[in-house]
PDB file of all heavy atoms in Angstrom:
ATOM      1  N   ASP A   1     -13.881  -1.234 -10.806  1.00  0.00           N
ATOM      2  CA  ASP A   1     -14.784  -1.272  -9.661  1.00  0.00           C
ATOM      3  C   ASP A   1     -14.330  -2.350  -8.690  1.00  0.00           C
ATOM      4  O   ASP A   1     -13.970  -3.463  -9.098  1.00  0.00           O
ATOM      5  CB  ASP A   1     -16.216  -1.565 -10.115  1.00  0.00           C
ATOM      6  CG  ASP A   1     -16.781  -0.450 -10.986  1.00  0.00           C
ATOM      7  OD1 ASP A   1     -16.151   0.621 -11.046  1.00  0.00           O
ATOM      8  OD2 ASP A   1     -17.844  -0.650 -11.586  1.00  0.00           O
ATOM      9  N   GLY A   2     -14.361  -2.048  -7.399  1.00  0.00           N
ATOM     10  CA  GLY A   2     -13.953  -3.027  -6.393  1.00  0.00           C
ATOM     11  C   GLY A   2     -13.847  -2.391  -5.025  1.00  0.00           C
ATOM     12  O   GLY A   2     -14.485  -1.376  -4.724  1.00  0.00           O
ATOM     13  N   HIS A   3     -13.000  -2.975  -4.189  1.00  0.00           N
ATOM     14  CA  HIS A   3     -12.768  -2.442  -2.849  1.00  0.00           C
ATOM     15  C   HIS A   3     -11.432  -2.956  -2.338  1.00  0.00           C
ATOM     16  O   HIS A   3     -10.840  -3.880  -2.901  1.00  0.00           O
ATOM     17  CB  HIS A   3     -13.894  -2.854  -1.895  1.00  0.00           C
ATOM     18  CG  HIS A   3     -14.047  -4.337  -1.738  1.00  0.00           C
ATOM     19  ND1 HIS A   3     -14.693  -5.124  -2.673  1.00  0.00           N
ATOM     20  CD2 HIS A   3     -13.616  -5.187  -0.767  1.00  0.00           C
ATOM     21  CE1 HIS A   3     -14.671  -6.385  -2.285  1.00  0.00           C
ATOM     22  NE2 HIS A   3     -14.017  -6.452  -1.129  1.00  0.00           N
ATOM     23  N   ILE A   4     -10.948  -2.334  -1.278  1.00  0.00           N
ATOM     24  CA  ILE A   4      -9.679  -2.704  -0.664  1.00  0.00           C
ATOM     25  C   ILE A   4      -9.954  -3.334   0.698  1.00  0.00           C
ATOM     26  O   ILE A   4     -10.710  -2.803   1.509  1.00  0.00           O
ATOM     27  CB  ILE A   4      -8.758  -1.486  -0.502  1.00  0.00           C
ATOM     28  CG1 ILE A   4      -8.362  -0.934  -1.875  1.00  0.00           C
ATOM     29  CG2 ILE A   4      -7.513  -1.840   0.281  1.00  0.00           C
ATOM     30  CD1 ILE A   4      -7.493   0.302  -1.817  1.00  0.00           C
ATOM     31  N   ILE A   5      -9.328  -4.502   0.920  1.00  0.00           N
ATOM     32  CA  ILE A   5      -9.442  -5.192   2.206  1.00  0.00           C
ATOM     33  C   ILE A   5      -8.136  -5.013   2.974  1.00  0.00           C
ATOM     34  O   ILE A   5      -7.055  -4.958   2.382  1.00  0.00           O
ATOM     35  CB  ILE A   5      -9.722  -6.697   2.003  1.00  0.00           C
ATOM     36  CG1 ILE A   5     -10.930  -6.905   1.087  1.00  0.00           C
ATOM     37  CG2 ILE A   5      -9.994  -7.382   3.322  1.00  0.00           C
ATOM     38  CD1 ILE A   5     -11.206  -8.359   0.799  1.00  0.00           C
ATOM     39  N   ASN A   6      -8.244  -4.945   4.296  1.00  0.00           N
ATOM     40  CA  ASN A   6      -7.053  -4.891   5.152  1.00  0.00           C
ATOM     41  C   ASN A   6      -6.119  -3.761   4.728  1.00  0.00           C
ATOM     42  O   ASN A   6      -4.946  -3.955   4.441  1.00  0.00           O
ATOM     43  CB  ASN A   6      -6.319  -6.237   5.118  1.00  0.00           C
ATOM     44  CG  ASN A   6      -5.208  -6.301   6.153  1.00  0.00           C
ATOM     45  OD1 ASN A   6      -5.279  -5.641   7.183  1.00  0.00           O
ATOM     46  ND2 ASN A   6      -4.188  -7.094   5.875  1.00  0.00           N
ATOM     47  N   LEU A   7      -6.655  -2.561   4.690  1.00  0.00           N
ATOM     48  CA  LEU A   7      -5.878  -1.390   4.287  1.00  0.00           C
ATOM     49  C   LEU A   7      -4.856  -1.044   5.361  1.00  0.00           C
ATOM     50  O   LEU A   7      -5.208  -0.742   6.497  1.00  0.00           O
ATOM     51  CB  LEU A   7      -6.820  -0.203   4.041  1.00  0.00           C
ATOM     52  CG  LEU A   7      -6.174   1.107   3.612  1.00  0.00           C
ATOM     53  CD1 LEU A   7      -5.442   0.935   2.287  1.00  0.00           C
ATOM     54  CD2 LEU A   7      -7.223   2.200   3.513  1.00  0.00           C
ATOM     55  N   GLN A   8      -3.568  -1.112   4.999  1.00  0.00           N
ATOM     56  CA  GLN A   8      -2.482  -0.851   5.944  1.00  0.00           C
ATOM     57  C   GLN A   8      -1.691   0.409   5.602  1.00  0.00           C
ATOM     58  O   GLN A   8      -0.900   0.868   6.415  1.00  0.00           O
ATOM     59  CB  GLN A   8      -1.526  -2.050   5.988  1.00  0.00           C
ATOM     60  CG  GLN A   8      -2.159  -3.334   6.490  1.00  0.00           C
ATOM     61  CD  GLN A   8      -2.588  -3.233   7.939  1.00  0.00           C
ATOM     62  OE1 GLN A   8      -1.921  -2.587   8.754  1.00  0.00           O
ATOM     63  NE2 GLN A   8      -3.712  -3.851   8.273  1.00  0.00           N
ATOM     64  N   ALA A   9      -1.884   0.939   4.408  1.00  0.00           N
ATOM     65  CA  ALA A   9      -1.135   2.126   4.003  1.00  0.00           C
ATOM     66  C   ALA A   9      -1.578   3.332   4.829  1.00  0.00           C
ATOM     67  O   ALA A   9      -2.774   3.545   5.045  1.00  0.00           O
ATOM     68  CB  ALA A   9      -1.349   2.401   2.518  1.00  0.00           C
ATOM     69  N   ARG A  10      -0.599   4.129   5.286  1.00  0.00           N
ATOM     70  CA  ARG A  10      -0.879   5.305   6.108  1.00  0.00           C
ATOM     71  C   ARG A  10      -0.022   6.477   5.628  1.00  0.00           C
ATOM     72  O   ARG A  10       1.101   6.272   5.140  1.00  0.00           O
ATOM     73  CB  ARG A  10      -0.574   5.019   7.588  1.00  0.00           C
ATOM     74  CG  ARG A  10      -1.531   4.027   8.239  1.00  0.00           C
ATOM     75  CD  ARG A  10      -2.928   4.625   8.378  1.00  0.00           C
ATOM     76  NE  ARG A  10      -3.844   3.731   9.067  1.00  0.00           N
ATOM     77  CZ  ARG A  10      -4.580   2.801   8.474  1.00  0.00           C
ATOM     78  NH1 ARG A  10      -4.480   2.651   7.152  1.00  0.00           N
ATOM     79  NH2 ARG A  10      -5.406   2.049   9.149  1.00  0.00           N
ATOM     80  N   PRO A  11      -0.534   7.710   5.762  1.00  0.00           N
ATOM     81  CA  PRO A  11       0.291   8.861   5.402  1.00  0.00           C
ATOM     82  C   PRO A  11       1.597   8.864   6.186  1.00  0.00           C
ATOM     83  O   PRO A  11       1.624   8.571   7.380  1.00  0.00           O
ATOM     84  CB  PRO A  11      -0.600  10.046   5.791  1.00  0.00           C
ATOM     85  CG  PRO A  11      -1.993   9.521   5.714  1.00  0.00           C
ATOM     86  CD  PRO A  11      -1.904   8.097   6.161  1.00  0.00           C
ATOM     87  N   GLY A  12       2.677   9.165   5.490  1.00  0.00           N
ATOM     88  CA  GLY A  12       3.995   9.162   6.115  1.00  0.00           C
ATOM     89  C   GLY A  12       4.861   8.010   5.654  1.00  0.00           C
ATOM     90  O   GLY A  12       6.091   8.080   5.754  1.00  0.00           O
ATOM     91  N   MET A  13       4.253   6.949   5.121  1.00  0.00           N
ATOM     92  CA  MET A  13       5.062   5.852   4.603  1.00  0.00           C
ATOM     93  C   MET A  13       5.662   6.256   3.263  1.00  0.00           C
ATOM     94  O   MET A  13       5.174   7.160   2.588  1.00  0.00           O
ATOM     95  CB  MET A  13       4.227   4.576   4.452  1.00  0.00           C
ATOM     96  CG  MET A  13       3.164   4.643   3.370  1.00  0.00           C
ATOM     97  SD  MET A  13       2.242   3.091   3.165  1.00  0.00           S
ATOM     98  CE  MET A  13       3.546   2.049   2.504  1.00  0.00           C
ATOM     99  N   VAL A  14       6.753   5.604   2.904  1.00  0.00           N
ATOM    100  CA  VAL A  14       7.471   5.910   1.670  1.00  0.00           C
ATOM    101  C   VAL A  14       7.312   4.740   0.718  1.00  0.00           C
ATOM    102  O   VAL A  14       7.485   3.583   1.101  1.00  0.00           O
ATOM    103  CB  VAL A  14       8.961   6.189   1.949  1.00  0.00           C
ATOM    104  CG1 VAL A  14       9.718   6.384   0.637  1.00  0.00           C
ATOM    105  CG2 VAL A  14       9.105   7.417   2.838  1.00  0.00           C
ATOM    106  N   ALA A  15       6.959   5.035  -0.513  1.00  0.00           N
ATOM    107  CA  ALA A  15       6.819   4.010  -1.544  1.00  0.00           C
ATOM    108  C   ALA A  15       7.460   4.524  -2.813  1.00  0.00           C
ATOM    109  O   ALA A  15       7.712   5.725  -2.965  1.00  0.00           O
ATOM    110  CB  ALA A  15       5.347   3.688  -1.780  1.00  0.00           C
ATOM    111  N   GLY A  16       7.722   3.615  -3.726  1.00  0.00           N
ATOM    112  CA  GLY A  16       8.319   4.041  -4.986  1.00  0.00           C
ATOM    113  C   GLY A  16       9.300   3.035  -5.520  1.00  0.00           C
ATOM    114  O   GLY A  16       9.146   1.826  -5.336  1.00  0.00           O
ATOM    115  N   ASP A  17      10.352   3.514  -6.145  1.00  0.00           N
ATOM    116  CA  ASP A  17      11.265   2.670  -6.908  1.00  0.00           C
ATOM    117  C   ASP A  17      11.978   1.640  -6.049  1.00  0.00           C
ATOM    118  O   ASP A  17      12.250   0.528  -6.486  1.00  0.00           O
ATOM    119  CB  ASP A  17      12.293   3.566  -7.613  1.00  0.00           C
ATOM    120  CG  ASP A  17      13.169   2.772  -8.564  1.00  0.00           C
ATOM    121  OD1 ASP A  17      12.611   1.982  -9.332  1.00  0.00           O
ATOM    122  OD2 ASP A  17      14.392   2.943  -8.534  1.00  0.00           O
ATOM    123  N   TYR A  18      12.274   1.956  -4.799  1.00  0.00           N
ATOM    124  CA  TYR A  18      13.077   1.055  -3.973  1.00  0.00           C
ATOM    125  C   TYR A  18      12.237   0.275  -2.966  1.00  0.00           C
ATOM    126  O   TYR A  18      12.772  -0.411  -2.121  1.00  0.00           O
ATOM    127  CB  TYR A  18      14.157   1.842  -3.223  1.00  0.00           C
ATOM    128  CG  TYR A  18      15.100   2.544  -4.158  1.00  0.00           C
ATOM    129  CD1 TYR A  18      15.037   3.914  -4.343  1.00  0.00           C
ATOM    130  CD2 TYR A  18      16.029   1.821  -4.901  1.00  0.00           C
ATOM    131  CE1 TYR A  18      15.899   4.557  -5.211  1.00  0.00           C
ATOM    132  CE2 TYR A  18      16.888   2.450  -5.779  1.00  0.00           C
ATOM    133  CZ  TYR A  18      16.825   3.818  -5.931  1.00  0.00           C
ATOM    134  OH  TYR A  18      17.663   4.453  -6.807  1.00  0.00           O
ATOM    135  N   ARG A  19      10.915   0.390  -3.038  1.00  0.00           N
ATOM    136  CA  ARG A  19      10.052  -0.379  -2.149  1.00  0.00           C
ATOM    137  C   ARG A  19       9.604  -1.632  -2.885  1.00  0.00           C
ATOM    138  O   ARG A  19       9.040  -1.565  -3.975  1.00  0.00           O
ATOM    139  CB  ARG A  19       8.832   0.437  -1.720  1.00  0.00           C
ATOM    140  CG  ARG A  19       7.909  -0.355  -0.798  1.00  0.00           C
ATOM    141  CD  ARG A  19       6.677   0.464  -0.427  1.00  0.00           C
ATOM    142  NE  ARG A  19       5.742  -0.333   0.327  1.00  0.00           N
ATOM    143  CZ  ARG A  19       5.770  -0.479   1.637  1.00  0.00           C
ATOM    144  NH1 ARG A  19       6.710   0.127   2.332  1.00  0.00           N
ATOM    145  NH2 ARG A  19       4.886  -1.225   2.269  1.00  0.00           N
ATOM    146  N   ILE A  20       9.810  -2.791  -2.289  1.00  0.00           N
ATOM    147  CA  ILE A  20       9.459  -4.060  -2.913  1.00  0.00           C
ATOM    148  C   ILE A  20       8.050  -4.443  -2.480  1.00  0.00           C
ATOM    149  O   ILE A  20       7.743  -4.483  -1.297  1.00  0.00           O
ATOM    150  CB  ILE A  20      10.463  -5.161  -2.528  1.00  0.00           C
ATOM    151  CG1 ILE A  20      11.869  -4.756  -2.983  1.00  0.00           C
ATOM    152  CG2 ILE A  20      10.076  -6.481  -3.138  1.00  0.00           C
ATOM    153  CD1 ILE A  20      12.942  -5.714  -2.558  1.00  0.00           C
ATOM    154  N   GLY A  21       7.190  -4.758  -3.464  1.00  0.00           N
ATOM    155  CA  GLY A  21       5.845  -5.195  -3.152  1.00  0.00           C
ATOM    156  C   GLY A  21       4.836  -4.072  -3.236  1.00  0.00           C
ATOM    157  O   GLY A  21       5.161  -2.904  -3.408  1.00  0.00           O
ATOM    158  N   ALA A  22       3.567  -4.457  -3.117  1.00  0.00           N
ATOM    159  CA  ALA A  22       2.472  -3.512  -3.231  1.00  0.00           C
ATOM    160  C   ALA A  22       2.169  -2.881  -1.882  1.00  0.00           C
ATOM    161  O   ALA A  22       2.556  -3.389  -0.831  1.00  0.00           O
ATOM    162  CB  ALA A  22       1.237  -4.226  -3.774  1.00  0.00           C
ATOM    163  N   ILE A  23       1.433  -1.761  -1.924  1.00  0.00           N
ATOM    164  CA  ILE A  23       1.039  -1.100  -0.686  1.00  0.00           C
ATOM    165  C   ILE A  23      -0.370  -1.508  -0.273  1.00  0.00           C
ATOM    166  O   ILE A  23      -0.790  -1.236   0.852  1.00  0.00           O
ATOM    167  CB  ILE A  23       1.113   0.431  -0.829  1.00  0.00           C
ATOM    168  CG1 ILE A  23       0.130   0.928  -1.901  1.00  0.00           C
ATOM    169  CG2 ILE A  23       2.525   0.872  -1.151  1.00  0.00           C
ATOM    170  CD1 ILE A  23       0.013   2.421  -1.964  1.00  0.00           C
ATOM    171  N   ALA A  24      -1.123  -2.157  -1.178  1.00  0.00           N
ATOM    172  CA  ALA A  24      -2.475  -2.601  -0.854  1.00  0.00           C
ATOM    173  C   ALA A  24      -2.927  -3.593  -1.918  1.00  0.00           C
ATOM    174  O   ALA A  24      -2.374  -3.635  -3.022  1.00  0.00           O
ATOM    175  CB  ALA A  24      -3.443  -1.419  -0.771  1.00  0.00           C
ATOM    176  N   THR A  25      -3.931  -4.390  -1.577  1.00  0.00           N
ATOM    177  CA  THR A  25      -4.528  -5.337  -2.509  1.00  0.00           C
ATOM    178  C   THR A  25      -5.927  -4.866  -2.858  1.00  0.00           C
ATOM    179  O   THR A  25      -6.758  -4.662  -1.965  1.00  0.00           O
ATOM    180  CB  THR A  25      -4.574  -6.749  -1.912  1.00  0.00           C
ATOM    181  OG1 THR A  25      -3.242  -7.193  -1.641  1.00  0.00           O
ATOM    182  CG2 THR A  25      -5.235  -7.720  -2.877  1.00  0.00           C
TER     183      THR A  25
END
């Protein structure tokens, strides 16, 4: 249970094995 602050992730971005860091907190 919780919530996300300062959501920056948007459809079209690429994430996965070669992306360093998280997409949201």
Side-chain angles (χ1 to χ4, degrees):
D1 295 348
H3 60 281
I4 295 178
I5 307 177
N6 189 28
L7 180 61
Q8 297 295 324
R10 291 292 183 272
M13 68 177 292
V14 175
D17 187 47
Y18 299 106
R19 180 182 174 87
I20 300 175
I23 63 172
T25 299

